[in-house]
Amino acid sequence: MRAQRTNSREKILAAAADVARESGPGSLSLEAVASRAGVSKGGLLYNFPTKAKLMQGLVEGYLREFEHALDSARTNDKDENPLAVYIRLSANDCEDKQPSASWIFSAIAEDPDFMTPIKTFKRQLFERLKGETPDLKSLLVCYLAIEGLRSMNLFDSDVLSKDERELLVSSLLEIAR
């Protein structure tokens, strides 16, 4: 019984990710997700009682994927320091065009705890990097610059040219070494 619920939850999240990629997270409808997942709307609501909870599930999945990619990259390239791995993965992640962030505001309005997993993840990631990076000043500069890139990407307010972005990333990688 438990395995089936997990499976339907995963199917719903996969369907929601597909629908969000196609139409943008702000246009995500529970009906479209239920239809894509092959579950009833009641089945979807059993797993995710609100659209905000569904979006939170998507965000939590993204955070788990990023953490897994970070761990995998560090395992595969033991010569690269953890801060450099974080910079490289984050910069690559920021290359992907993000849909409008308006859905975040509606999710926060519906559920003020929406940001809790994001804040927790970022705090844990920062503490992890702080424990693995000998120079706190370098970590602070690199971490905040990468978070700035993420914010510009998320809010579609990127003011950097491709060359400027590449210069920033290469500069951060130099600082990280």
Side-chain angles (χ1 to χ4, degrees), residues 107-120:
I108 292 169
E110 189 174 328
D111 181 2
D113 292 331
F114 176 80
M115 293 297 293
T116 300
I118 298 169
K119 290 176 185 177
T120 300

Side-chain angles (χ1 to χ4, degrees), residues 20-159:
R21 268 190 297 277
E22 291 167 8
S23 61
S27 303
L28 190 75
S29 80
L30 297 179
E31 293 80 9
V33 172
S35 175
R36 176 73 60 96
V39 300
S40 67
K41 187 172 177 186
L44 184 148
L45 292 172
Y46 175 79
N47 286 283
F48 301 98
T50 65
K51 184 176 174 180
K53 289 294 182 191
L54 177 60
M55 299 305 293
Q56 188 174 359
L58 283 174
V59 168
E60 289 170 349
Y62 165 78
L63 296 175
R64 278 191 304 277
E65 288 173 16
F66 184 80
E67 187 167 31
H68 177 71
L70 193 60
D71 290 339
S72 293
R74 290 179 51 200
T75 300
N76 294 336
D77 189 356
K78 295 195 184 293
D79 292 335
E80 191 171 30
N81 76 50
L83 181 56
V85 170
Y86 164 74
I87 292 166
R88 188 174 42 78
L89 284 176
S90 296
N92 289 343
D93 201 31
C94 288
E95 290 298 315
D96 297 333
K97 182 75 177 143
Q98 300 295 318
S100 166
S102 60
W103 64 273
I104 292 176
F105 302 119
S106 61
I108 292 169
E110 189 174 328
D111 181 2
D113 292 331
F114 176 80
M115 293 297 293
T116 300
I118 298 169
K119 290 176 185 177
T120 300
F121 175 81
K122 287 184 179 284
R123 184 78 226 162
Q124 290 171 343
L125 176 62
F126 182 75
E127 289 299 323
R128 176 180 170 180
L129 289 169
K130 196 162 82 169
E132 299 168 337
T133 305
D135 181 9
L136 181 59
K137 185 167 53 172
S138 295
L139 171 60
L140 289 169
V141 168
C142 293
Y143 186 82
L144 292 174
I146 287 296
E147 288 305 310
L149 278 179
R150 285 185 183 284
S151 293
M152 286 192 305
N153 192 31
L154 180 64
F155 294 108
D156 194 25
S157 60
D158 193 351
V159 297

